[in-house]
Amino acid sequence: MPESPAPTLVNRRAVTIEWGDCDPAGIVFFPRYFAMFDASTAALFQAALGMTKIAMQRHFNALGFPMVDTRAKFHVPSAYGDEVVIESRVAAFRRSSFDVEHRLVRPGAVLGVEGFETRVWTVKDEEGRIRSAPLPAELVAAFAR
Protein backbone atom coordinates (compact mmCIF):
# COMPACT_ATOMS: atom_id res chain seq x y z
CA MET A 1 0.00 0.00 0.00
CA PRO A 2 1.45 3.41 -0.92
CA GLU A 3 1.98 6.12 1.63
CA SER A 4 -1.03 8.30 2.34
CA PRO A 5 -0.82 12.08 1.95
CA ALA A 6 1.03 13.71 4.84
CA PRO A 7 -1.31 14.28 7.79
CA THR A 8 -1.84 17.90 8.79
CA LEU A 9 -2.16 17.65 12.57
CA VAL A 10 0.71 19.15 14.60
CA ASN A 11 0.67 18.82 18.38
CA ARG A 12 2.66 21.22 20.55
CA ARG A 13 3.70 20.20 24.07
CA ALA A 14 5.42 22.51 26.53
CA VAL A 15 8.24 20.87 28.48
CA THR A 16 10.39 22.22 31.30
CA ILE A 17 13.87 20.71 31.32
CA GLU A 18 14.30 19.10 34.74
CA TRP A 19 17.49 18.51 36.75
CA GLY A 20 17.24 14.76 36.12
CA ASP A 21 17.27 15.34 32.35
CA CYS A 22 20.77 16.81 32.52
CA ASP A 23 24.27 15.36 32.54
CA PRO A 24 27.17 16.62 34.69
CA ALA A 25 27.83 19.35 32.12
CA GLY A 26 24.36 20.75 32.85
CA ILE A 27 22.87 20.03 29.42
CA VAL A 28 20.24 17.48 28.47
CA PHE A 29 21.70 13.96 28.34
CA PHE A 30 20.86 12.87 24.78
CA PRO A 31 18.74 9.75 25.64
CA ARG A 32 16.36 12.01 27.59
CA TYR A 33 15.34 13.65 24.30
CA PHE A 34 14.13 10.26 23.06
CA ALA A 35 11.99 9.85 26.20
CA MET A 36 10.55 13.34 25.62
CA PHE A 37 9.79 12.45 22.00
CA ASP A 38 8.13 9.17 23.04
CA ALA A 39 5.83 11.07 25.42
CA SER A 40 5.18 13.60 22.66
CA THR A 41 4.09 10.82 20.28
CA ALA A 42 1.56 9.62 22.87
CA ALA A 43 0.35 13.22 23.32
CA LEU A 44 0.01 13.59 19.53
CA PHE A 45 -2.19 10.50 19.31
CA GLN A 46 -4.25 11.70 22.27
CA ALA A 47 -4.77 15.07 20.55
CA ALA A 48 -5.85 13.34 17.32
CA LEU A 49 -8.14 10.73 18.84
CA GLY A 50 -9.35 12.45 22.01
CA MET A 51 -8.37 9.46 24.14
CA THR A 52 -5.37 8.36 26.17
CA LYS A 53 -2.98 5.75 24.84
CA ILE A 54 -4.50 3.12 27.15
CA ALA A 55 -8.02 3.97 25.93
CA MET A 56 -6.79 3.90 22.32
CA GLN A 57 -5.28 0.44 22.80
CA ARG A 58 -8.58 -0.83 24.20
CA HIS A 59 -10.67 0.93 21.53
CA PHE A 60 -8.67 -0.56 18.65
CA ASN A 61 -7.83 -3.86 20.43
CA ALA A 62 -4.15 -3.14 19.83
CA LEU A 63 -0.93 -3.60 21.76
CA GLY A 64 0.42 -0.24 20.68
CA PHE A 65 3.02 1.15 18.30
CA PRO A 66 6.57 0.18 19.23
CA MET A 67 9.48 2.07 17.75
CA VAL A 68 11.54 0.23 15.14
CA ASP A 69 13.84 3.08 14.13
CA THR A 70 14.83 6.39 15.67
CA ARG A 71 17.38 9.11 15.19
CA ALA A 72 17.94 12.73 16.01
CA LYS A 73 19.80 15.82 14.83
CA PHE A 74 21.17 17.94 17.65
CA HIS A 75 21.46 21.64 16.85
CA VAL A 76 21.52 23.61 20.13
CA PRO A 77 21.65 22.06 23.62
CA SER A 78 19.03 22.62 26.29
CA ALA A 79 19.80 23.04 29.98
CA TYR A 80 18.13 22.73 33.37
CA GLY A 81 15.18 25.13 33.67
CA ASP A 82 14.77 25.78 29.95
CA GLU A 83 11.18 26.03 28.78
CA VAL A 84 10.90 24.33 25.40
CA VAL A 85 8.10 23.30 23.06
CA ILE A 86 8.04 19.98 21.26
CA GLU A 87 6.13 20.07 17.97
CA SER A 88 5.14 16.59 16.78
CA ARG A 89 3.47 15.35 13.62
CA VAL A 90 3.01 12.15 11.67
CA ALA A 91 4.99 12.60 8.47
CA ALA A 92 3.62 9.50 6.72
CA PHE A 93 1.24 6.62 7.28
CA ARG A 94 1.84 3.34 5.48
CA ARG A 95 -0.08 0.03 5.74
CA SER A 96 1.10 -0.88 9.25
CA SER A 97 3.85 1.63 10.02
CA PHE A 98 4.19 5.37 10.27
CA ASP A 99 6.84 8.04 10.69
CA VAL A 100 6.75 10.74 13.37
CA GLU A 101 8.80 13.93 13.29
CA HIS A 102 9.54 16.07 16.33
CA ARG A 103 11.00 19.56 16.59
CA LEU A 104 12.20 20.73 20.00
CA VAL A 105 12.06 24.53 19.88
CA ARG A 106 13.88 26.65 22.43
CA PRO A 107 12.98 30.21 23.46
CA GLY A 108 13.29 32.67 20.59
CA ALA A 109 12.09 30.06 18.09
CA VAL A 110 15.54 28.40 18.07
CA LEU A 111 15.50 24.83 16.78
CA GLY A 112 17.29 22.70 19.37
CA VAL A 113 16.70 19.10 18.28
CA GLU A 114 14.92 17.28 15.48
CA GLY A 115 13.71 13.76 16.22
CA PHE A 116 12.57 11.06 13.81
CA GLU A 117 10.75 7.81 14.61
CA THR A 118 9.34 4.90 12.65
CA ARG A 119 6.71 2.92 14.54
CA VAL A 120 4.65 -0.19 13.77
CA TRP A 121 1.01 -0.82 14.71
CA THR A 122 0.86 -4.11 16.63
CA VAL A 123 -1.75 -6.60 17.81
CA LYS A 124 -1.73 -10.14 19.25
CA ASP A 125 -2.54 -12.92 16.81
CA GLU A 126 -4.64 -16.02 17.59
CA GLU A 127 -1.64 -17.74 19.24
CA GLY A 128 -0.88 -14.69 21.39
CA ARG A 129 2.17 -13.61 19.39
CA ILE A 130 2.87 -9.97 18.66
CA ARG A 131 2.54 -9.04 14.99
CA SER A 132 2.08 -5.96 12.86
CA ALA A 133 -1.39 -5.12 11.58
CA PRO A 134 -2.89 -2.57 9.22
CA LEU A 135 -3.47 0.82 10.78
CA PRO A 136 -7.18 1.38 11.46
CA ALA A 137 -8.77 3.76 8.92
CA GLU A 138 -10.46 5.62 11.81
CA LEU A 139 -7.05 6.33 13.36
CA VAL A 140 -5.48 7.58 10.12
CA ALA A 141 -8.52 9.78 9.38
CA ALA A 142 -8.20 11.46 12.79
CA PHE A 143 -4.89 13.00 11.68
CA ALA A 144 -6.33 14.68 8.59
CA ARG A 145 -7.81 17.63 10.47
Side-chain angles (χ1 to χ4, degrees):
M1 179 171 135
E3 289 185 9
S4 63
T8 56
L9 177 65
V10 175
N11 190 62
R12 289 170 181 81
R13 185 171 83 91
V15 175
T16 301
I17 303 301
E18 300 294 337
W19 178 257
D21 294 325
C22 299
D23 63 15
I27 60 175
V28 173
F29 183 47
F30 75 92
R32 295 297 305 141
Y33 286 116
F34 293 103
M36 292 176 206
F37 294 153
D38 183 61
S40 296
T41 296
L44 171 65
F45 273 69
Q46 185 168 344
L49 295 165
M51 61 181 88
T52 65
K53 186 175 177 181
I54 292 169
M56 176 193 69
Q57 290 170 295
R58 289 181 186 135
H59 178 79
F60 291 110
N61 195 29
L63 289 176
F65 38 80
M67 196 174 328
V68 296
D69 189 26
T70 188
R71 65 185 174 87
K73 291 182 184 177
F74 303 96
H75 301 284
V76 179
S78 297
Y80 174 59
D82 284 351
E83 302 284 338
V84 301
V85 173
I86 300 176
E87 301 172 346
S88 304
R89 72 180 194 91
V90 173
F93 281 115
R94 290 176 291 282
R95 186 187 78 79
S96 61
S97 67
F98 56 96
D99 296 327
V100 182
E101 296 177 348
H102 305 281
R103 292 172 37 91
L104 184 140
V105 181
R106 294 175 32 81
V110 174
L111 179 61
V113 181
E114 294 174 279
F116 307 90
E117 304 172 341
T118 298
R119 292 174 175 263
V120 175
W121 188 256
T122 59
V123 298
K124 279 193 178 177
D125 68 14
E126 300 78 34
E127 285 95 40
R129 294 178 302 219
I130 299 171
R131 66 170 183 83
S132 67
L135 286 154
E138 175 188 350
L139 181 143
V140 175
F143 284 83
R145 59 182 171 99

